[in-house]
Amino acid sequence: MRIIFCDNIIDKKVDPDFEEEYRTATEQRFPISLLSFEELNNANISRAISRIKEADNLEKAIYRGWMIQPDKYKSLFEHLLKKNIKLVNTPEEYETCHYLPSSYQYIDGLTPLTNWMVVDETIDFERIFELTDVFQNEAIIVKDFVKSLKHNWKEACFIPNASDRDLVRKVVSRFIELQGTQLNKGLVFRKFEDLEFLTTHSKSKMPLTKEYRLFFLYGKLIQVFNYWDEGDYDNTKPDLDKFKEVGKSIQSNFFTMDIAQKKDGSWIIMELGDGQVSGLPDNANKNIFYKTLAEYTL
Ligand SMILES: Nc1ncnc2c1ncn2[C@@H]1O[C@H](COP(=O)(O)OP(=O)(O)O)[C@@H](O)[C@H]1O
Ligand SMILES: [Mg+2]
């Protein structure tokens, strides 16, 4: 299994944000390549992967880097395949966990009630209100198909009462404004669940709650990380059996599942993500991560 990281534009070495992963992957004897994320984003796919050599025989690979839009991922997947390199997830599998609306069918009932709409140039508030009305007087959060603006919690993420249309309009407009051209495909609304409080984020002041990031490879749970780098996680780990079971049904070879504890003690799924573009928390032990990956793949 090859690992493909992003380079940095300046010296063409690994992107500094992935340096530690690069080092530990090397220590675990993974063959490594670099691609240019900038070229990929500018749709210069041949240039993006120009330094990746064609393999003699079909070789599997995992990309570890910044999030890629599904159409760009498809192009990356296809062009790497021409070089005899096959990414762990097909474009369909990538999109399944990258877009919340695509993964919802697998986690419905275990994750907050969610609805969504695709957004084009004009913002249709009548359609938005149809979606937010479903939640009546409940608190909700807004995000796009991939990301929230959780660090702008009050102004662009959290809506305390879904029936307050002025507030819905204000928060959603701010979310759209801040996302700008980075908005991923559309809007997603989710019932806000009262989660077990951990601490307040030292910079953004958003409430941090007890959450874990689970990594699954080929249907198996391989790693569990504390999601936040701050706060006192005591040693009580959740019962993971039901999440392992759900994990088996998800159509992706490598993905993450973020889980959170509700105030009543039960555990829910926050969201899924493609394992190739899901970050390791700063405090995560990268050695153990790559060692485990090596055990399952090399
Ligand atoms: N429906 C919800 N109920 C309670 N807390 C939520 C909800 N959605 C998001 N949050 C909080 O906001 C954080 C970010 O939300 P998330 O959907 O994971 O966005 P992102 O894609 O930006 O990571 C979560 O980790 C959780 O702490
Ligand atoms: Mg998240």
Side-chain angles (χ1 to χ4, degrees):
M1 180 72 80
R2 177 171 294 274
I3 311 280
I4 303 175
F5 291 105
C6 298
D7 67 12
N8 73 77
I9 345 171
I10 300 160
D11 63 5
K12 300 283 172 215
K13 291 189 179 141
V14 67
D15 183 311
D17 281 302
F18 291 90
E19 210 171 315
E20 203 185 339
E21 287 198 35
Y22 179 97
R23 206 182 52 244
T24 43
T26 313
E27 281 163 14
Q28 292 303 326
R29 300 172 192 278
F30 280 101
I32 291 179
S33 299
L34 296 177
L35 62 71
S36 164
F37 186 70
E38 283 67 32
E39 298 286 11
L40 180 65
N41 256 339
N42 293 332
N44 294 325
I45 181 65
S46 301
R47 252 186 279 165
I49 60 169
S50 64
R51 291 194 292 147
I52 302 180
K53 280 209 214 84
E54 185 171 334
D56 294 336
N57 302 306
L58 190 68
E59 192 183 340
K60 284 190 185 158
I62 286 177
Y63 163 77
R64 284 288 304 158
W66 306 112
M67 287 182 175
I68 305 176
Q69 286 163 3
D71 58 333
K72 304 250 163 64
Y73 183 86
K74 186 166 189 278
S75 160
L76 177 65
F77 182 89
E78 286 166 356
H79 283 79
L80 283 175
L81 206 51
K82 287 189 197 150
K83 293 193 176 200
N84 251 340
I85 295 172
K86 188 168 187 223
L87 287 174
V88 65
N89 282 329
T90 63
E92 294 72 31
E93 288 161 347
Y94 178 80
E95 188 167 324
T96 294
C97 293
H98 189 57
Y99 280 162
L100 180 52
S102 313
S103 56
Y104 192 65
Q105 55 173 317
Y106 298 106
I107 56 178
D108 189 7
L110 291 168
T111 197
L113 181 69
T114 302
N115 58 28
W116 59 84
M117 62 189 271
V118 172
V119 166
D120 34 45
E121 282 100 73
T122 51
I123 310 299
D124 178 357
F125 271 97
E126 284 316 307
R127 175 81 189 111
I128 290 174
F129 294 143
E130 274 174 33
L131 295 180
T132 53
D133 280 350
V134 170
F135 302 94
Q136 299 178 348
N137 296 324
E138 307 265 19
I140 55 172
I141 69 118
V142 59
K143 61 186 294 185
D144 65 22
F145 277 31
V146 181
K147 291 303 287 176
S148 69
L149 285 173
K150 57 193 173 203
H151 293 296
N152 303 75
W153 188 250
K154 277 202 171 144
E155 55 166 328
C157 186
F158 181 64
I159 302 170
N161 181 342
S163 67
D164 182 342
R165 292 191 165 189
D166 289 342
L167 196 59
V168 168
R169 189 185 284 275
K170 198 169 148 207
V171 176
V172 172
S173 301
R174 187 67 179 141
F175 175 78
I176 292 169
E177 183 188 344
L178 289 176
Q179 285 298 65
T181 54
Q182 303 300 310
L183 185 98
N184 292 290
K185 194 141 176 172
L187 291 169
V188 172
F189 298 98
R190 317 194 77 190
K191 179 180 180 306
F192 177 78
E193 299 283 358
D194 261 328
L195 302 179
E196 187 62 28
F197 180 75
L198 196 60
T199 186
T200 307
H201 193 274
S202 54
K203 291 201 188 93
S204 70
K205 303 293 174 219
M206 79 166 276
L208 303 190
T209 51
K210 209 161 167 202
E211 291 168 66
Y212 292 96
R213 170 158 289 180
L214 280 40
F215 274 85
F216 287 80
L217 183 69
Y218 299 125
K220 277 211 187 94
L221 176 63
I222 61 160
Q223 281 279 290
V224 180
F225 293 115
N226 292 356
Y227 185 75
W228 302 108
D229 291 313
E230 308 177 28
D232 180 23
Y233 280 79
D234 54 35
N235 286 327
T236 50
K237 281 262 160 43
D239 178 3
L240 295 171
D241 286 351
K242 74 172 170 189
F243 300 118
K244 285 185 192 164
E245 209 42 50
V246 180
K248 285 184 199 158
S249 69
I250 292 163
Q251 298 298 305
S252 162
N253 291 316
F254 187 41
F255 65 93
T256 53
M257 182 188 286
D258 294 337
I259 59 167
Q261 188 173 34
K262 293 213 294 185
K263 281 241 162 71
D264 67 8
S266 63
W267 288 83
I268 56 171
I269 298 175
M270 214 62 248
E271 61 176 350
L272 305 182
D274 188 90
Q276 301 171 102
V277 298
S278 294
L280 301 181
D282 287 347
N283 291 337
N285 187 326
K286 276 111 194 152
N287 263 317
I288 294 183
F289 180 72
Y290 278 95
K291 218 170 158 184
T292 312
L293 266 191
E295 278 163 24
Y296 282 86
T297 58
L298 285 179

